Amino acid sequence: MARQLVLGIETSCDETAAAVVIYENGRARVASNVVSSQIKDHAPYGGVVPEIAARKHVEKIDEVIKLTMQQAGIGFSDLSAVAATAGPGLIGGVLVGLLSAKAISLGAGLPLIAINHLEGHALSPKLTQDLDFPYLLLLVSGGHCQILKVEALGIYKRLGTTIDDALGEAFDKTAKLLGLGYPGGPLVENAARLGNPKFPLPRPMLNRDGCDFSFAGLKTAVARLAQSIVAEKGMLSQSDINDICASFQAATIDVLINRLEAAFAISGFDGQDRQLVVAGGVAANQAIRAKIETLCEQRGWRYFAPELKYCGDNGAMIALAGAMRLGEGIVSDFGIKARPRWPLDELSAPLKLKHGYGKKGAKV
Ligand code: KG4
Ligand code: ZN
């Protein structure tokens, strides 16, 4: 296969990111990877504010792309193609990245490749490891919590999904209500490391048919637990917060392990196909990674997770998806539109949820 040199642009949430990836004979090398985080812009609000995110992407995108090209030591004319996230995500941000890619494509006469952000996460371990299709994917991020069969490039079959909140969202909301700050995932993980999982919290969907998830009830139980401690003692001490975080994280791990065991059973994967990829921002959680790795060892599955810097949103996973698509001769029409929602398994049969959606409907 020819050597592909692809610029990837990612702006679907709160990171303005770009990378250049070289893809040759099924192997990737990241030539440059720049991520400009907006965390400090959103922290005062305890979550991502879409309008602020879009404005910050506009302010940063030129600089981030320029730096990415400089660090790779190349010019636009050296590229094989330009790829950008076209959805799902916050539409204002997605538009900024996609339009930037269109401008580069037009100006430099390069093919344009619109990428589904979730496909980027799904392929992310391939940035640094040898991993062949097919594999089972646990995709856990701020906006998504799904288990999919990744059969080949572009062929994804969803086995399970959350019926309400995403897992990263549950971490973020737990952190917010405990006053830990934003983004909550790493802060809850750090507090959990110092705590004792002594509080009994619910394990939603445990042992239910299929492999769907639900996290809204767990989040509410954490809020009630915190309120009851405050009612009793007048405040939450740091050790209370650590214990609540440890109890919350332990509950999420029990749910993840149970749902993965169910997915292993219904996946139909056997022999060499028994490969599990855990990707997305929550895959950066060391306790979650360790428990899933142990489960894989016990059940005879090979375990893969992206390097930590490729768990959260980044341009390298978008560039890789672009390079792989280019290798298959798949490029996008210039009229391609940004999409706030874009399920990865859109081409497969419509999903039939076994348990229906939560009260507010599925957000993910
Ligand atoms: O993939 P990502 O960067 O953005 C989305 O596509 O959503 O994921 C961000 C999410 C946030 O909810 C963040 O709190 C969570 O990933 N996260 C973590 C950890 N690091 C990031 N959750 C649990 N533990 C972590 N160490
Ligand atoms: Zn993401």
Side-chain angles (χ1 to χ4, degrees), residues 10 37 42 59 65 122 159 175 202 206 299 324 328:
E10 159 56 41
S37 172
H42 301 288
E59 287 168 18
I65 292 173
L159 298 181
L206 215 67
R299 298 282 180 268
M324 292 178 69
E328 301 284 327

Side-chain angles (χ1 to χ4, degrees), residues 180-315:
L180 291 178
Y182 174 84
L187 300 165
V188 170
E189 182 182 9
N190 288 342
R193 208 172 279 134
L194 305 170
N196 170 4
K198 66 181 193 185
F199 297 116
L201 286 171
R203 268 83 173 141
M205 308 295 274
L206 215 67
N207 299 327
R208 298 276 288 266
D209 284 353
C211 56
D212 290 333
F213 302 87
S214 162
F215 294 107
L218 178 58
K219 175 190 70 190
T220 310
V222 168
R224 284 216 194 93
L225 172 62
Q227 281 159 6
S228 72
I229 298 173
V230 171
E232 192 190 320
K233 300 197 209 164
M235 61 171 288
L236 288 176
S237 67
Q238 188 57 52
S239 85
D240 292 330
I241 291 175
N242 296 343
D243 292 345
I244 294 174
C245 288
S247 307
F248 164 81
Q249 191 171 275
T252 67
I253 289 174
D254 284 353
V255 171
L256 286 175
I257 297 295
N258 179 269
R259 305 289 66 200
L260 278 174
E261 294 217 64
F264 285 175
I266 59 177
S267 69
F269 282 162
D270 216 346
Q272 286 301 316
D273 295 353
R274 285 149 64 107
Q275 310 190 99
L276 175 72
V277 166
V278 184
V282 184
N285 185 297
Q286 296 296 337
I288 291 177
R289 285 170 90 106
K291 283 281 168 39
I292 294 178
E293 193 169 1
T294 305
L295 171 77
C296 287
E297 274 163 22
Q298 289 166 345
R299 298 282 180 268
W301 282 62
R302 291 173 69 207
Y303 162 86
F304 296 85
E307 243 178 51
L308 283 188
K309 64 180 168 197
Y310 301 126
C311 285
D313 292 345
N314 64 85

Side-chain angles (χ1 to χ4, degrees), residues 10 12-13 117-118 121 139 141-144 280-281 311-314 317:
E10 159 56 41
S12 67
C13 192
H117 177 81
L118 305 177
H121 280 302
L139 179 55
S141 68
H144 298 87
C311 285
D313 292 345
N314 64 85
M317 66 185 193

